[in-house]
Amino acid sequence: MKLYIETLGCAMNTRDSEHMISELQKKEGYELTSDAKDADLILINTCSVREKPERKLFSEIGQFAKIKKAGAKIGVCGCTASHMGEQIIKRAPSVDFVLGARNVSKITEVLHKPKAVEVSIDYDDSTYVFDVAKNAGIKALLNISIGCDKKCAYCIVPHTRGKEISIPLDLLLKEANKLVASGVKEIMLLGQNVNNYGARFSVPHEKIDFAGLLRELEKIEGLYRIRFTSPHPLHMDDAFLEEFARNKKVCKSIHIPLQSGSTQILRAMRRGYTKEWYLNRIKKLRSLVPDVGISTDIIVGFPTESDADFQDTMDVLEAVRFDTMYSFVYSPRPHTESASWGQEKEVDKEVASKRLAILQNRHKEILKEDAKKELGKTYTILVENNKQSPVEVFSEGRSDNGRLIKIQGEFLDIGSFVEVEVVATDGGSLIGKSKAVEA
């Protein structure tokens, strides 16, 4: 039997898809296909954070219903499944089952229950042991917690993934060791507030925090790199930053969501920190790791955002000079606090779009300016991609601090560590030349 899966949204959804794939491979004998027309089972793993998620979902369902072969099943999973539940089947009878983001371990159960709907956000699968998917590759994702306790005014995640629960340390270490044994060299730790690890377990557990988890993972032989996303600025105490700097296996790149540079807007967002706290944490981090790579998320045009509030965001952009920035115009999501505030607090869409353009254009300029400073520097990259064809030969990979470097004219083995000198730039992109190759 063949499985086709479409994954929308964040890395957490990608990991949930991997878990469902491994369960279906191990227990039901499914094999992946890239052609939905050949599939016996089509899964749509949805995201509620993206704009107009419901419209996108029902459009996708309609397309798959038209092309699926006779007898093939369609399952809707993920965050939109969590908050819509049985409404999905009522609106789209071609759907055979609905599985919420907090119920991933039940995939093989709902598969055999006609019109099953499993979307409880109170369900706890934090101690469920998933099998390692076939062909894990050189990089892998590892959930260290599920759910979220924060109450950000714009975010639907607590309504779709439930309360925050940390996964027991022994299970994490076992899975990490399995991944390394399968050939994985770099692990990305996942959690809605990853650096709040250890705040709550659903089973008796020794006291441990995120820094302690990083120290335990550091001991795994054959694991070369550890990354994580997304830490919350509120939990970036000195102990966490010092462990980030000290731990040799922790890559020196970090995603620190800003959302807004205005303390007033951060307060309205229920983020729990101020502009001053955010900049203080960046200053502390760079005092420990001067060449750290920093990425972020920014929402422009959040309700009541003034020109002065937006200027605060621009001030933070200038101060931090993010290496990567994911930025969007605010749009309301169902079941969120800010969605109920009314039109009187909304920022004019044209104004918000202009602000976003200003932010993004300045960031592009910063990337170009900073890329020139990289010329002549040497980094060790883990080769993640390569291509060899009559028209193009290249390899590319990331440095420890997150710099993506393309090596033109060289076809290097995926999974190898390579010393690369930055010899040119292309806008904000880096071009390198290999100096030495390690096995």
Side-chain angles (χ1 to χ4, degrees):
M1 293 185 293
K2 295 183 178 180
L3 164 67
Y4 176 88
I5 186 164
E6 180 177 76
T7 304
L8 307 173
C10 66
M12 193 74 75
N13 265 21
T14 298
R15 186 55 175 156
D16 288 344
S17 289
E18 290 176 352
H19 281 150
M20 289 187 285
I21 290 167
S22 65
E23 287 291 292
L24 290 165
Q25 286 176 334
K26 180 181 179 182
K27 297 180 179 178
E28 301 289 336
Y30 278 90
E31 293 295 333
L32 281 172
T33 178
S34 59
D35 189 347
K37 295 178 182 178
D38 291 338
D40 299 283
L41 173 61
I42 297 171
L43 296 181
I44 309 171
N45 194 4
T46 62
C47 173
S48 288
V49 174
R50 61 187 296 145
E51 191 171 4
K52 300 176 182 176
E54 294 180 17
R55 184 184 302 178
K56 171 70 172 175
L57 170 61
F58 288 104
S59 173
E60 293 291 291
I61 292 172
Q63 292 300 316
F64 287 131
K66 289 178 183 178
I67 66 171
K68 76 181 184 76
K69 67 183 184 182
K73 294 181 178 180
I74 297 177
V76 176
C77 315
C79 290
T80 304
S82 292
H83 80 81
M84 289 196 69
E86 62 183 15
Q87 296 178 49
I88 294 173
I89 292 178
K90 288 180 179 179
R91 289 177 57 179
S94 59
V95 173
D96 292 277
F97 62 85
V98 177
L99 185 70
R102 193 66 178 248
N103 302 262
V104 171
S105 61
K106 296 180 180 180
I107 180 63
T108 56
E109 295 178 26
V110 298
L111 179 63
H112 300 293
K113 294 179 181 177
K115 304 301 179 182
V117 177
E118 292 284 352
V119 295
S120 171
I121 62 171
D122 295 323
Y123 184 71
D124 176 22
D125 66 1
S126 65
T127 59
Y128 187 88
V129 180
F130 290 94
D131 195 34
V132 173
K134 297 177 183 178
N135 305 316
I138 61 166
K139 298 172 64 178
L141 304 173
L142 179 61
N143 282 11
I144 68 168
S145 63
I146 58 177
C148 180
D149 288 345
K150 298 291 184 288
K151 299 186 186 326
C152 298
Y154 55 82
C155 185
I156 193 175
V157 169
H159 299 276
T160 61
R161 290 186 176 271
K163 292 182 179 180
E164 182 177 323
I165 300 176
S166 297
I167 295 173
L169 175 64
D170 63 323
L171 297 185
L172 294 179
L173 295 179
K174 285 178 183 178
E175 186 171 2
N177 276 289
K178 282 183 182 179
L179 289 169
V180 170
S182 72
V184 167
K185 296 187 177 182
E186 177 180 304
I187 288 178
M188 171 75 83
L189 308 178
L190 301 179
Q192 300 300 144
N193 302 291
V194 70
N195 55 334
N196 197 38
Y197 177 79
R200 180 193 296 123
F201 295 94
S202 62
V203 295
H205 197 285
E206 63 181 296
K207 186 175 177 58
I208 188 171
D209 60 10
F210 186 59
L213 172 61
L214 293 177
R215 286 191 290 272
E216 291 299 318
L217 290 170
E218 183 185 21
K219 299 174 185 177
I220 297 177
E221 190 172 343
L223 176 59
Y224 295 93
R225 286 182 168 183
I226 302 168
R227 298 187 190 272
F228 51 85
T229 195
S230 287
H232 196 292
L234 194 61
H235 304 300
M236 288 191 170
D237 57 19
D238 286 356
F240 161 68
L241 295 179
E242 287 163 6
E243 178 60 26
F244 175 85
R246 182 209 65 80
N247 195 309
K248 293 182 180 179
K249 291 188 177 181
V250 171
C251 291
K252 302 307 181 265
S253 63
I254 186 169
H255 186 77
I256 312 178
L258 171 64
Q259 307 304 1
S260 174
S262 163
T263 294
Q264 179 174 310
I265 295 299
L266 288 171
R267 188 176 298 117
M269 288 178 166
R270 310 283 189 260
R271 289 293 288 169
Y273 54 88
T274 63
K275 172 184 180 180
E276 290 73 26
W277 170 258
Y278 189 94
L279 291 175
N280 175 274
R281 295 296 84 191
I282 298 295
K283 182 178 180 181
K284 173 69 175 181
L285 178 60
R286 283 190 165 145
S287 73
L288 297 169
V289 188
D291 201 29
V292 63
I294 303 174
S295 59
T296 199
D297 300 320
I298 294 177
I299 298 171
V300 173
F302 188 77
T304 74
E305 182 188 71
S306 65
D307 288 341
D309 293 323
F310 175 66
Q311 186 56 52
D312 280 337
T313 296
M314 293 298 296
D315 291 345
V316 176
L317 173 63
E318 294 295 337
V320 181
R321 302 178 71 88
F322 300 104
D323 296 274
T324 303
M325 181 183 74
Y326 304 97
S327 52
F328 314 89
V329 168
Y330 167 80
S331 60
R333 295 292 182 266
H335 307 291
T336 62
E337 180 185 346
S338 59
S340 66
W341 288 348
Q343 293 184 346
E344 65 275 8
K345 291 189 175 183
E346 290 183 4
V347 174
D348 181 81
K349 291 182 179 179
E350 186 176 344
V351 170
S353 295
K354 287 181 178 179
R355 288 175 183 170
L356 181 66
I358 292 169
L359 178 76
Q360 293 179 339
N361 288 336
R362 177 56 189 141
H363 184 245
K364 289 177 183 177
E365 293 173 354
I366 287 171
L367 292 181
K368 290 179 182 179
E369 294 164 4
D370 288 352
K372 295 176 182 178
K373 300 174 186 176
E374 298 295 314
L375 290 171
K377 291 185 179 181
T378 297
Y379 292 107
T380 299
I381 69 165
L382 174 60
V383 179
E384 302 173 4
N385 189 26
N386 58 26
K387 182 178 181 180
Q388 189 168 25
S389 72
V391 295
E392 186 177 25
V393 177
F394 74 86
S395 301
E396 63 182 2
R398 289 192 183 275
S399 64
D400 175 76
N401 64 349
R403 306 286 194 269
L404 180 63
I405 304 175
K406 186 173 184 177
I407 310 167
Q408 294 177 327
E410 298 185 54
F411 187 79
L412 303 169
D413 291 337
I414 291 177
S416 61
F417 286 96
V418 183
E419 292 292 314
V420 174
E421 180 183 358
V422 179
V423 296
T425 65
D426 181 8
S429 301
L430 303 180
I431 310 298
K433 181 179 180 181
S434 64
K435 299 179 69 174
V437 181
E438 299 177 10

